Amino acid sequence: MFSYLVSGLSVSSEVALPGLIALEAGDSQSADVTIRAGAVPRVLDDAETDGPNWQIAPNRFLFEIPDVIRMLLTGGREILFEPETGTSPEEAAIFLSGTGFGILLHQRGRIVLHASAVRVRDSAILFCGPSGAGKSTLAAALVDAGYDLVTDDFCGVSIHADGVPWVEPDGRQLKLWQNSIDRLSLIERRAAPVRPELQKYYVEPRAATAAALPLAAIYVLREARPPHAPGIERPNIVDGGLMIRNNAYRPGMVRRMGQADLYFRAAAAIAQRAGIFTLSRELDFKRFPEVIGWLEAHWRDLGLMEPTT
């Protein structure tokens, strides 16, 4: 068995999950989450709701990546998986640690955002946006500029009893397209491909943190084109809350799992305790130094960094 720390949870897995924080092998019975291979049913007889490739029954979630893998998630504690013929362990691992674990966190009632995050002093800074918005690439540029990576692709947020949102890192490697690797000169850190047929690769960050950090600010990424001028803006609190909900890792799962109210309350707590901003910038690698300059100036204004002398 392999042991990992994922979003603050101990995980015991029968399959290796590249790119996560590895732990000393422990007792699988005491792990928060167990991932194991076995026969996965194609139908849940007591399903209460379903879709083209998923079904939800009390305490269980069944879904299928066609021709790749089926998974049955139970109680937020176990992922039982059955690869389809021809699926390699490496390819199964991609979906187990990505989509599978993201849905499991939803099942545990955790707040899961589609985001990448870096550490600024003792706080976490999140970058949200849909696939292709540039979250991982901006995080990679910031890591190369001296900031530790907190997480990539999705980010688990816990609201503590005092109302402060905290980010649970999981040590994920960056996932970057070859073009980004070339333009950021990260070829020496390039690891295995995310999927054999993709020009997208795991990239070892220069530095990463395993410590939970309070969430200080969220930036929702968007391209700078009319009507959005380049720069950083603060939306009103209602729009900011909606941005949080819309950037859930799987917004459809939030609705189907009946968690809309949970995310509404979490969005309100995050909006009150952390700054929510939009970051509009041109999608041009040459502008990264300028964008990082905007962010660092903004972090000084927020008191997250020492002012320049």
Side-chain angles (χ1 to χ4, degrees), residues 16-36:
L17 302 174
L20 302 181
I21 299 173
L23 300 175
E24 294 284 335
D27 179 6
S28 62
Q29 297 297 319
S30 63
D32 296 313
V33 178
T34 300
I35 299 175
R36 65 183 180 88

Side-chain angles (χ1 to χ4, degrees), residues 175-195:
K175 291 191 288 188
L176 298 175
W177 292 99
Q178 183 63 53
N179 182 49
S180 296
I181 293 171
D182 292 339
R183 300 300 294 269
L184 296 173
S185 301
L186 297 175
I187 189 63
E188 293 182 355
R189 298 185 185 279
R190 194 184 79 175
V194 174
R195 297 186 70 177

Side-chain angles (χ1 to χ4, degrees), residues 1-17 20-37 76-81 96-97 101 104 108:
M1 296 290 280
F2 301 89
S3 294
Y4 302 95
L5 182 67
V6 185
S7 295
L9 300 171
S10 59
V11 178
S12 180
S13 174
E14 289 185 357
V15 63
L17 302 174
L20 302 181
I21 299 173
L23 300 175
E24 294 284 335
D27 179 6
S28 62
Q29 297 297 319
S30 63
D32 296 313
V33 178
T34 300
I35 299 175
R36 65 183 180 88
R77 289 191 53 83
E78 180 185 82
I79 301 177
L80 179 67
F81 69 95
L96 289 166
S97 61
F101 211 89
L104 180 134
R108 292 180 73 98

